[in-house]
Amino acid sequence: MNTIDKLKRVRESFDSKNISAYIIPSSDPHLSEYLPDCWKFRAWASGFTGSAGTLVVGKNKAALWTDSRYFLQAEKELEGSTIELCRMGLPNTPSIEEWLTETLSANETVGFNGKLFAHAAAKLLVANLSKNGLKVVSDIDIIPAVWTNRPSAPNGKAFEHKLRYAGLTVSEKIAEIRKNLGKQHSDACIISALDDVAWTFNIRGNDVDYNPVVLSFGYISMDEAILFIDLDKLDDKLTTHLEEQGVELFDYNDSDKFISELPHNLTISIDETKLNHTLASLIPKEIKTADSISIPTKLKAVKNAVELENIKQSLVLDGIAMCNFLYWLETHVGKEKITELTIAEKLVEYRSEQEGFVSESFETIAGYKEHGAIVHYSATPETASEIESGGFLLVDSGAQYLQGTTDITRTIHLGTPNNEEKQDYTLVLKGMIQLSMIQFPLGTRGSQLDTLARMAMWNKGINFGHGTGHGIGAFLNVHEGPQSIRPSENPVTIEPGMVQSNEPGIYRAGKHGIRIENLIACKRTTENEFGTFLGFDTITLCPIDTKPIDVETLQADERNWLNSYHSMVYEKLAPFVKPEVKGWLKDRTRAI
Amino acid sequence: MNTIDKLKRVRESFDSKNISAYIIPSSDPHLSEYLPDCWKFRAWASGFTGSAGTLVVGKNKAALWTDSRYFLQAEKELEGSTIELCRMGLPNTPSIEEWLTETLSANETVGFNGKLFAHAAAKLLVANLSKNGLKVVSDIDIIPAVWTNRPSAPNGKAFEHKLRYAGLTVSEKIAEIRKNLGKQHSDACIISALDDVAWTFNIRGNDVDYNPVVLSFGYISMDEAILFIDLDKLDDKLTTHLEEQGVELFDYNDSDKFISELPHNLTISIDETKLNHTLASLIPKEIKTADSISIPTKLKAVKNAVELENIKQSLVLDGIAMCNFLYWLETHVGKEKITELTIAEKLVEYRSEQEGFVSESFETIAGYKEHGAIVHYSATPETASEIESGGFLLVDSGAQYLQGTTDITRTIHLGTPNNEEKQDYTLVLKGMIQLSMIQFPLGTRGSQLDTLARMAMWNKGINFGHGTGHGIGAFLNVHEGPQSIRPSENPVTIEPGMVQSNEPGIYRAGKHGIRIENLIACKRTTENEFGTFLGFDTITLCPIDTKPIDVETLQADERNWLNSYHSMVYEKLAPFVKPEVKGWLKDRTRAI
């Protein structure tokens, strides 16, 4: 069935639902960044396979909104589909609300499935459309009637995230959540993000690519702790374990009914950016809800000592794999055919040799020369460049180990860098080092620290369009909040125990992309009459290419930082790499 | 009459007003930072003369809230008054709402004069007190019944702020305001901050110490431009001039009636942080109001080319006065009795020699040795230290010239600085220079830039508790918004044409205070594939003491910046200082 036929099926569902348009987002009932196949309805219906995009189907027109990462891909994939491409961020692109208002007549009805929208976003959408004279129905699910051959829900087993990795038992985490509920004067919270549930109940699974999570919801009150999950995913041992920890197990599909029957005298904490609209709407009206950042989101961002030790161990493993990979690359490039796709394969090969390896943590970005300038570049057999001697190769990759989740970017030069390449590389390096070195007072927000990663390049009239740092899970999602290090305001302060990325970049269209990324763990450094101060430990272990550095423009402290980083990398990795790689490592970590 | 008698008079007014407590803030109907004498009621009623404080009088108890700047002064001035001192910012200090709830019984009534509260603040106060079961009446003015010998309203003449200083005529400014009203889909705006009114109508006056403003309100709609002012303050020439510019002149006291009779079909822009509660409440309920930053506040923050040229001229004048002062100080200290109070006198003396000088722009802060660590120190005959050879002297002062408003801090060492003094001084200097040198993308907020002024001291475990930069008027108030450079979030971005201070500091209680302050004007620097970039011109002209600098710890670019700044200072000031000062200036601006 081609896209035109699929749109026809979508439209055939309109009459019985009394709607004139339908919105299909890229989402699942947990508002996940990565979706299980059974929720990739937007991709199915539109033919556009990028990770971010919203399809809106009207009676005679259809349009798809996506961001600049996907303009080229969407153009190509939407060709002949009759779907108009709405390029987000360009000045003349209408919003979805504007497009619907333009396309529909007053009093016509727009439908969507509230399960696929965050409560906050859905409320805003409904308000905007209503203001424009349209009606909205938010509980329409057309998937059963429309999507032929829908993949079945993932049915892999869940497994216990062992205490030696988690550091806290399930019952300890539940107690911590209850303490926070008390502080918020709430009686209970609904946990809907998959990584929040996985963290709370110390379970992991493989329902979603790259993220070791299980489709599930949680509910914690002062006397109940409920996990809603396909009970077939739990073996007897895990069932017993969870029950011993005070957890009641309900079927995944019971969550709706449970929530709609909650006692009316409760005050419930919900995170309106994480709870889907349908579930939020099922909460009885008598119940008081308090909107705030999900408690497990806040708690899991601050890694405990056991998690931190394991994360550091996972970074030793990942560092070994990276060294083996880089050694292989440098010794084979120009001698055999290596493409951007080979890079990803080789990385998986070396990582899977490490104990505790589970999977990649996201799709490897390997961008050679001008492909490096495409920030979320994803090589395909058609586009994959052959890696030769010369030019920058940007490799952003990561893995899931039982011990922790990794995310690392190295950009290496395969020939003789020119002046612009050296300048850009050194500016990125300076930004990364300045953020690594900073000490800052307790109470500092990420947007205040983001400047450190940019100031050197700003002074040369250069900037980059993505954030500098995101939180990362402990054997969980590679992107997690609530903290961030980016220019835009985020009131969350950076706290001891938080682990995040440090990844400035410079991208010159048609030329090259440079990004250097380490993970940094926040720690307490000193306390005195001026207050409490924090700093970062850089915990990623892998040589940083020194060839493209314009050493003259490094400050003494930046140079010292790099040399001492490299000396630590050698010390921690040398005992574990293959004999032939050891000499290479010695050379690549030599002081400059 | 002592304070106990005054409180008795306050309480005697309670019965006829049916209230059990009354709140007296430090404010006027324009919510000014500096008050005309006739509005210094809180100081009269409490005996506490500090600039910031709120008195709350109950039937049997009274309390005064003030911040840490004034703890010592308030303790002393409140002695024997029966008024309890509530030290703001300390953990066990109740809020005003908490104190009232504790002191009063449910259903008792709290009164205040809505004219002295911003609309936003009053709404919050009423909501909080009501939530706690208290009644609130917001239109009670007890001043006429209570305040004996109240000073009369200021009656100095207003004068025109000439086009050669203002750069835009009144009618051009009105047109600009109307253009902004159009963008906001508003029909009119009420202008209530005195500096906003002065800017809009190109008038200045002397109703308030330090600020060249006139008690007045403004109202601009698409077809009206009204100035509410005591008409006796306008001479015939100014009256004619304003009328020719399309301004209607109404008596100051007509504003209430005018606002209460506004046509009901309007949408009006008001700034709820600047419009007083009583006036806001007079707006007919049928009128739509839109809360946003006052349009003149936004417009006047971006200086036009003529204003900028004049401001730079005022800084040449101020620089000459500062050089004459510093030369006098260095050549007389240790030889005659000089106290912290002498400093202020001498500064006024030298400044008043300059053409266009009008007044000081705030009360000079001259803090010698440990007094420098008291951030808003104000010397009195009892506390004033004698300045001797040795130790740091911090001098923060400024002036109003017809050409512009100045604000400068220099900290000089009068002996041989020790290591800690050198370290602290150099860290402050580094922060000031880093912010001066930065280039940054259009769209950057002050909180992102604030980090530059702090990073060097943060790395040594040091911080300061005030903001790094505030906007400054063009022959107007020394503090103006809407931009700021400080750690806390302010969504306003720094735009070309904005002039602000750059004033990091380090304060060691009992030892010293160090602050170095220049004014910096934002300008466009470059535009390229990465966007538009901005930077700062440092426009304050005065040597920075090089003696306490630990030169070894300056980076090359910091040292270059300082040397090139000093060379500019010499070039611009040398032609104008007295012959004996010229040699001193040459020496003090010598490259390090």
Side-chain angles (χ1 to χ4, degrees), chain A residues 295-314:
Chain A
I295 294 171
T297 296
K298 282 191 286 193
L299 294 176
K300 81 179 189 308
V302 175
K303 272 61 182 173
N304 62 48
V306 173
E307 287 175 318
L308 211 49
E309 215 31 70
N310 277 288
I311 290 171
K312 286 180 182 170
Q313 182 53 31
S314 75

Side-chain angles (χ1 to χ4, degrees), chain A residues 225-244:
Chain A
I226 301 172
L227 172 62
F228 298 90
I229 190 168
D230 175 350
L231 298 172
D232 287 343
K233 292 184 178 175
L234 305 175
D235 63 19
D236 290 350
K237 205 175 145 212
L238 185 48
T239 301
T240 308
H241 168 73
L242 284 167
E243 286 173 348
E244 280 171 2

Side-chain angles (χ1 to χ4, degrees), chain A residues 468-538:
Chain A
T468 300
H470 57 79
I472 185 164
F475 185 36
L476 265 180
N477 295 1
V478 75
H479 296 148
E480 70 170 36
Q483 85 275 25
S484 59
I485 299 177
R486 51 190 318 142
S488 54
E489 169 63 3
N490 173 350
V492 176
T493 58
I494 306 295
E495 303 286 339
M498 285 182 171
V499 175
Q500 46 272 307
S501 67
N502 171 6
E503 48 176 317
I506 291 181
Y507 310 93
R508 287 197 192 263
K511 290 182 173 175
H512 58 250
I514 297 161
R515 184 163 64 251
I516 304 174
E517 175 186 25
N518 286 331
L519 297 184
I520 52 178
C522 179
K523 62 174 178 187
R524 204 172 282 258
T525 52
T526 188
E527 190 160 350
N528 61 30
E529 61 181 299
F530 297 102
T532 298
F533 288 82
L534 312 179
F536 294 117
D537 273 333
T538 293

Side-chain angles (χ1 to χ4, degrees), chain A residues 439 448 451 458-459 461 487 528, chain B residues 439 445 448 451 458-459 461 528:
Chain A
Q439 176 173 260
Q448 296 172 265
T451 303
W458 280 357
N459 280 333
N528 61 30
Chain B
Q439 176 172 262
R445 307 179 313 288
Q448 295 172 266
T451 303
W458 281 357
N459 280 334
N528 60 31

Side-chain angles (χ1 to χ4, degrees), chain B residues 6-20:
Chain B
K6 290 172 181 172
L7 293 178
K8 195 162 161 248
R9 286 184 69 93
V10 169
R11 290 179 175 124
E12 280 165 2
S13 71
F14 283 13
D15 268 1
S16 67
K17 309 284 186 187
N18 285 314
I19 58 173
S20 303

Side-chain angles (χ1 to χ4, degrees), chain B residues 346-365:
Chain B
K346 274 288 169 185
L347 278 166
V348 172
E349 184 185 318
Y350 289 117
R351 283 186 164 121
S352 59
E353 290 169 8
Q354 307 303 321
E355 199 183 320
F357 174 82
V358 174
S359 71
E360 294 177 280
S361 60
F362 59 97
E363 192 182 349
T364 291
I365 299 167

Side-chain angles (χ1 to χ4, degrees), chain A residues 111-346:
Chain A
F112 64 85
N113 181 356
K115 277 193 183 298
L116 306 182
F117 285 78
H119 189 46
K123 286 197 296 187
L124 195 65
L125 181 67
V126 171
N128 286 337
L129 292 174
S130 307
K131 209 172 60 189
N132 294 352
L134 297 173
K135 291 184 186 157
V136 192
V137 184
S138 65
D139 60 353
I140 296 180
D141 182 7
I142 64 168
I143 290 181
V146 171
W147 194 356
T148 49
N149 300 318
R150 180 187 186 186
S152 52
N155 59 2
K157 292 288 181 195
F159 55 94
E160 185 190 347
H161 185 55
K162 294 275 201 279
L163 185 58
R164 68 171 175 277
Y165 303 126
L168 289 172
T169 63
V170 177
S171 62
E172 285 169 330
K173 288 183 175 180
I174 292 169
E176 195 59 39
I177 291 171
R178 287 181 177 145
K179 210 164 85 184
N180 277 268
L181 284 173
K183 280 191 214 158
Q184 298 183 359
H185 307 290
S186 279
D187 304 304
C189 61
I190 301 169
I191 309 174
S192 61
L194 297 182
D195 57 343
D196 281 354
V197 185
W199 177 85
T200 302
F201 296 98
N202 283 347
I203 51 168
R204 298 293 186 270
N206 41 45
D207 285 354
V208 181
D209 287 347
Y210 306 117
N211 302 332
V213 294
V214 194
L215 288 183
S216 50
F217 286 102
Y219 174 83
I220 309 280
S221 69
M222 290 307 181
D223 47 15
E224 286 178 293
I226 301 172
L227 172 62
F228 298 90
I229 190 168
D230 175 350
L231 298 172
D232 287 343
K233 292 184 178 175
L234 305 175
D235 63 19
D236 290 350
K237 205 175 145 212
L238 185 48
T239 301
T240 308
H241 168 73
L242 284 167
E243 286 173 348
E244 280 171 2
Q245 293 289 318
V247 178
E248 292 172 84
L249 299 166
F250 283 34
D251 186 73
Y252 180 72
N253 295 312
D254 289 347
S255 55
D256 286 17
K257 182 159 178 291
F258 177 85
I259 286 180
S260 65
E261 291 175 355
L262 282 170
H264 293 182
N265 58 344
L266 295 179
T267 297
I268 295 192
S269 288
I270 60 173
D271 185 335
E272 298 200 350
T273 66
K274 298 206 165 190
L275 185 61
N276 78 55
H277 180 59
T278 302
L279 262 190
S281 306
L282 286 175
I283 300 172
K285 296 289 160 278
E286 294 78 5
I287 285 180
K288 272 198 226 162
T289 61
D291 178 29
S292 69
I293 297 175
S294 147
I295 294 171
T297 296
K298 282 191 286 193
L299 294 176
K300 81 179 189 308
V302 175
K303 272 61 182 173
N304 62 48
V306 173
E307 287 175 318
L308 211 49
E309 215 31 70
N310 277 288
I311 290 171
K312 286 180 182 170
Q313 182 53 31
S314 75
L315 289 163
V316 171
L317 301 174
D318 211 53
I320 298 166
M322 281 294 295
C323 287
N324 290 340
F325 160 76
L326 288 169
Y327 173 77
W328 166 83
L329 179 67
E330 291 189 21
T331 50
H332 288 71
V333 70
K335 296 177 188 152
E336 62 185 64
K337 185 173 177 181
I338 300 173
T339 73
E340 290 167 342
L341 287 172
T342 326
I343 303 291
E345 290 160 15
K346 274 289 170 184

Side-chain angles (χ1 to χ4, degrees), chain B residues 258-364:
Chain B
F258 178 85
I259 287 179
S260 64
E261 292 175 355
L262 281 170
H264 292 182
N265 57 345
L266 296 179
T267 298
I268 295 191
S269 288
I270 60 172
D271 185 335
E272 298 200 351
T273 67
K274 297 205 163 190
L275 184 63
N276 78 54
H277 180 59
T278 301
L279 262 190
S281 307
L282 286 175
I283 299 171
K285 295 290 160 276
E286 294 78 3
I287 285 180
K288 270 197 226 163
T289 60
D291 178 29
S292 69
I293 298 175
S294 146
I295 294 171
T297 296
K298 281 191 285 193
L299 293 177
K300 79 180 190 308
V302 175
K303 272 60 183 173
N304 62 48
V306 173
E307 287 175 318
L308 211 49
E309 216 30 71
N310 277 288
I311 290 170
K312 286 179 183 172
Q313 181 54 32
S314 76
L315 289 163
V316 171
L317 302 174
D318 211 53
I320 298 166
M322 281 294 294
C323 286
N324 291 340
F325 160 76
L326 288 169
Y327 173 76
W328 165 82
L329 178 67
E330 290 189 22
T331 50
H332 288 71
V333 70
K335 296 178 188 154
E336 63 184 64
K337 185 173 178 182
I338 301 174
T339 73
E340 290 167 340
L341 288 172
T342 326
I343 302 292
E345 290 159 16
K346 274 288 169 185
L347 278 166
V348 172
E349 184 185 318
Y350 289 117
R351 283 186 164 121
S352 59
E353 290 169 8
Q354 307 303 321
E355 199 183 320
F357 174 82
V358 174
S359 71
E360 294 177 280
S361 60
F362 59 97
E363 192 182 349
T364 291

